[in-house]
Amino acid sequence: MSKDHDDYDYLFKVVLIGDSGVGKSNLLSRFTRNEFCSESKSTIGVEFATRCIEVCLEGKTVKAQIWDTAGQERYRAITSAYYRGAVGALLVYDITKSESYDNVQKWLKELRDHADSNIVITLVGNKTDLKHLRSVQAESAAEFSSIEGLSFVETSACESTNVDVAFKKNLTDVYHIISKKSCSSAEVDDKNGGAGIIEVKAISESSKKNPSKCCNV
Amino acid sequence: MSATAARVCLKSQVIDFPRSTRLSRIKHVAKSICGDEEQPPGYLGHLSSVRTGSREELFTLILKSSSVDLKKLRGSLWSGCPSHLRPLCWKISLGYIPPTFQRHQETLLRKRAEYHSFSAEYFESNRVMNADELDILDQIQIDIPRTDSLRNLLHNERIKILSPLRVIYLFLRAIERVLFIRAIRNPATSYVQGMTDLVTPFFSGAKTSQNNYEVFSSEIQSGKSLTRANDETLLDNVEADCYWCLCKVLDTVQDHFTCSQPGIQRVCHRVNELVSRLDRALFEHLAREGVDIFHFAFRWATCLLLREFSGMTSPRAMASYNAFSFPIFFDTYISEGDNLSDFLAYLCTALLLRWAEQLKAKKFHDVISFLQQPPSVSWKTTEHVSRPVAKVTASASVGMVRVVGDLKTKLIMVCARHSPSENFIHFSRQKLKYVLNVTSKYFATYLNMDLMFEGLCLSGKKLLTSNPNSTQILPSDIKTMHAFP
């Protein structure tokens, strides 16, 4: 575990958003602690967890700092403050609840209004274990995702299906963008005050002289 | 005894005990750490003359009067109340029913009828709800099964045996209606996630003993058995009473739930300010790590720490597998009245100060993770309470509650203010010292509530030490305190 905490190449801030009750907190607990609770407490404001994973063949380790947000509309003013500096977002809906899928548009708008413009978004259809209750078809969500330029994964936090895939997909996509950018220019490192991308061991000088406050190393 | 409990006992020594009793006091602490639960010798020994009656007698005495002394009642309620008297004490303290005994029945009849008319109106079968209302109801229905104590109600096998499913269903429906009606009738706050946590103490507070629900009636002993009799009228009355009591409490923290929740932000700012004043090193560490009080105190304040103190429920409820376990510190909240929001800031600060050393050793991620799942979730009332100790300390505090209540309010006001007014009440130094000793002792051994006082005692101690030659607390002392460190 100590390796998990201290030894990583990048620190990415990721937000989990979506309607209330779609399973955001359980996706997070499944991913970070391999735990699931069918009736987990409602999230008040934001909650937080981290996990380190390897993102690509080069063996780079990314520490994901994941902020799980409350789904209720009332909390949006508070939760949207946490979008700032996030490099990835998992936008979750419940495949058994079509309203939660209909609201994906609203959530995308939220992200466009409050998050960085280059944020990597993964659309996640959760609760695939409830096959008999499905009301959102995977095909239509996949089609929507390709139009909007999002990646798309269906998961079941309950059965632990595709949860790691969803997070890894998002983090890998972020990593590719970052590594591509840091090759071409150092402009991505020009950040301060809680920016989510922290290149811990990168050669780039600017990230070292101006480490973000969430950088632990 | 757990490490936490041991720390609690040690913490109580923060207050300077008289020299002669310090040794025996330390011995007692050592004993209690080792698990020896005999009555505490030393400091409280000379107070044995105060042992004129139990808390029950105290409350009965207060409630017996034809017009209840509200100040007295609230002062006593602050340190906890016998469970069978709780419904009545709460109703009076909250101002739901008047202090005058003769007007209880009439008020209850009127208020219950009023609630039932709301209920009939909003839940009439052919009423079409608008989209907003449906959203609210939907959200409440999502949240109810996710609320700790209610989840227990649904899934605990023992509870299912004690209460037939139909009764559980009726309960959940009642809670749903209470929250919905409150939301519709208060559009400024509407329903905010976290309110399901806040409603359960009222239902559990209505429970007076195993299987008995106090009808919130003025006949103190007339609890009826809900589970046996399936008395739906009884449940209807409990529902109406819980609604009004919930409203009273939510009204005092109204701005915790209005748009963008300014009340919560105020609590967080105040905590920040208090920490900066009381533990500069901790404050600086948190700032260096980029920890915003808001990251964790937002939930603490929204749910009134119910999730952080989830184990601090009444021992009786735990033992008898009651449907609801009653959060023991809610008595204190009720007695705080309009000061609840301020008090919460103190409580949060006291928690942070308690964990200061641990926090100072942690980095950003670990600080947040720690405070999201703080050690207090595993604090159990039963760990800190041994019956003889509780009894002695409880009765020792009987004579003191009035003073404690007043002092506490004063300290809250002083600490909350940036520039204290010049005519701040002049407490005798001796009296203050005595009060702080007794309260810290009382709360350290009973219910783990010393926490609630820790922030205040710290401030109080600084008042005492700031000017050793003075016999009274003067405005200059207060300024010294504000200038700390």
Side-chain angles (χ1 to χ4, degrees), chain A residues 147-166:
Chain A
I147 295 167
E148 294 285 340
L150 323 171
S151 52
F152 170 65
V153 184
E154 279 198 343
T155 60
S156 163
C158 174
E159 291 177 344
S160 197
T161 318
N162 273 347
V163 177
D164 280 17
V165 174

Side-chain angles (χ1 to χ4, degrees), chain A residues 110-134:
Chain A
E110 277 286 300
L111 283 174
R112 290 188 185 124
D113 290 348
H114 300 283
D116 299 347
S117 55
N118 54 357
I119 189 167
V120 175
I121 305 167
T122 302
L123 184 66
V124 179
N126 191 32
K127 306 198 187 178
T128 52
D129 49 297
L130 304 173
K131 295 178 197 75
H132 54 295
L133 297 172
R134 182 188 277 275

Side-chain angles (χ1 to χ4, degrees), chain B residues 238-252:
Chain B
V238 171
E239 179 183 336
D241 293 344
C242 288
Y243 170 81
W244 289 113
C245 289
L246 174 74
C247 286
K248 291 281 182 191
V249 169
L250 288 181
D251 286 350
T252 65

Side-chain angles (χ1 to χ4, degrees), chain A residues 152-199:
Chain A
F152 170 65
V153 184
E154 279 198 343
T155 60
S156 163
C158 174
E159 291 177 344
S160 197
T161 318
N162 273 347
V163 177
D164 280 17
V165 174
F167 280 96
K168 275 182 186 161
K169 174 116 195 62
N170 188 271
L171 294 166
T172 311
D173 288 353
V174 172
Y175 171 74
H176 285 314
I177 292 174
I178 302 303
S179 54
K180 220 180 278 172
K181 277 196 180 176
S182 56
C183 284
S184 56
S185 80
E187 112 191 72
V188 71
D189 296 318
D190 182 26
K191 73 224 171 257
N192 45 41
I197 317 159
I198 292 101
E199 203 172 339

Side-chain angles (χ1 to χ4, degrees), chain B residues 266-336:
Chain B
R266 196 186 52 238
V267 171
C268 292
H269 286 143
R270 196 160 288 172
V271 171
N272 207 30
E273 189 194 314
L274 283 164
V275 173
S276 83
R277 218 187 283 152
L278 294 164
D279 191 337
R280 194 73 198 174
L282 175 64
F283 176 77
E284 280 166 1
H285 176 76
L286 294 179
R288 214 171 21 248
E289 287 300 319
V291 177
D292 187 342
I293 298 282
F294 213 67
H295 287 152
F296 51 88
F298 186 87
R299 190 183 74 195
W300 292 9
T302 303
C303 298
L304 300 179
L305 288 162
L306 278 164
R307 294 190 183 185
E308 285 65 34
F309 291 151
S310 51
M312 284 170 65
T313 49
S314 68
R316 182 193 286 203
M318 313 258 293
S320 60
Y321 299 95
N322 275 350
F324 297 105
S325 43
F326 172 73
I328 205 84
F329 48 95
F330 232 78
D331 282 337
T332 315
Y333 287 171
I334 300 288
S335 81
E336 279 295 328

Side-chain angles (χ1 to χ4, degrees), chain A residues 27-44:
Chain A
L27 282 170
L28 180 62
S29 67
R30 180 61 88 188
F31 180 62
T32 56
R33 300 191 300 276
N34 200 19
E35 285 171 10
F36 177 84
C37 168
S38 63
E39 278 147 2
S40 64
K41 293 177 201 170
S42 57
T43 307
I44 307 297

